[in-house]
Amino acid sequence: MYDQAGTPPASRTDFVLESIKEAILNGELKPGQALVETDLAAWLTVSKTPVREALKTLVGSGLVVMSPYKGAAVRTVDAAMAAALYDVRLLLEPEALRRAVELGASFDEAALALEDTDDLARRSLANRRFHRALYAGCGNPLMVEILDGLRDQAALVTVAGWGLHPTWEAEAAEHRAILAAATDRDAGLATELLRRHIRTFADRLTEELPDVVR
């Protein structure tokens, strides 16, 4: 497992973490699937220790849930989870973009993240990079930290949405329009386009996902 620059992970735990995360986001590990330490260790040819540490991190990021009786499992997305996540994003992300535009932040990273690929994991990574590049220059480190903390869950929800309807081509066009407004320094238009982009996806998901997953 290497990152896009071809750099190996810093540690065995990082390797395990990124491998499991990618398998979740590309659907190889299904929602609700049990994550058994011995099975994952054998799959990745590592000991159980880095697997255990990686699962703890994934629980913290919201991709994995832990039950005292059933152990670890891939988180299943339901309408309530999606609604709560997108409620926070709608409050913070457009405002962060508005501030970034008004501060004259660079959006070069957002342009580089406009990737066209059929691989779900790579598309999800590019989507994450694009949205982070929009808010990273907002000038408020705490706002960035909060939004960064939502990125893994947002990726999980996005992939779930794409599984219902592959809408990424329409979303890519929306990304290009948002980026054009941001680079033109039209804070009002960029903010409105981003708000509409997030809300459209959220509204569709909350209608189509199950109400509660037990």
Side-chain angles (χ1 to χ4, degrees):
M1 178 66 61
Y2 291 79
D3 65 21
Q4 289 185 318
T7 305
S11 70
R12 191 170 297 273
T13 299
D14 290 339
F15 162 75
V16 173
L17 174 64
E18 293 305 316
S19 298
I20 297 173
K21 182 185 294 186
E22 181 176 328
I24 291 172
L25 295 180
N26 68 17
E28 186 177 353
L29 293 173
K30 306 295 183 184
Q33 181 174 339
L35 298 173
V36 182
E37 289 181 10
T38 52
D39 293 345
L40 292 171
W43 170 49
L44 297 168
T45 61
V46 296
S47 69
K48 290 197 299 183
T49 300
V51 172
R52 187 175 302 117
E53 293 304 312
L55 290 178
K56 289 178 183 177
T57 300
L58 290 167
V59 168
S61 69
L63 289 183
V64 170
V65 292
M66 186 73 72
S67 164
Y69 303 106
K70 297 181 180 180
V74 179
R75 184 168 189 171
T76 301
V77 176
D78 61 32
M81 173 202 171
L85 174 69
Y86 278 85
D87 187 34
V88 176
R89 287 188 65 192
L90 278 167
L91 286 171
L92 293 182
E93 205 167 318
E95 173 61 18
L97 174 58
R98 182 188 67 77
R99 295 184 183 194
V101 172
E102 292 179 349
L103 287 171
S106 169
F107 296 103
D108 290 347
E109 284 297 317
L112 292 173
L114 293 175
E115 182 173 343
D116 186 17
T117 173
D118 290 329
D119 181 87
L120 276 183
R122 288 181 64 86
R123 189 178 291 277
S124 176
L125 178 61
N127 186 64
R128 286 157 54 97
R129 288 176 58 208
F130 177 81
H131 279 273
R132 190 182 195 281
L134 295 181
Y135 64 73
C138 71
N140 185 325
L142 181 57
M143 187 177 288
V144 173
E145 182 181 347
I146 293 169
L147 287 167
D148 279 352
L150 302 176
R151 293 173 76 204
D152 283 346
Q153 292 184 61
L156 184 65
V157 172
T158 298
V159 171
W162 289 342
L164 294 169
H165 291 291
T167 56
W168 49 71
E169 289 186 3
E171 290 157 31
E174 292 168 6
H175 282 182
R176 288 190 291 271
I178 294 165
L179 179 59
T183 53
D184 286 345
R185 301 299 163 190
D186 190 335
L189 179 59
T191 300
E192 178 55 31
L193 289 174
L194 178 59
R195 182 177 289 110
R196 193 182 308 164
H197 170 70
I198 295 172
R199 187 181 298 280
T200 298
F201 193 82
D203 287 348
R204 179 173 61 80
L205 268 184
T206 53
E207 288 177 2
E208 296 179 348
L209 286 169
D211 290 333
V212 178
V213 175
R214 292 182 173 86

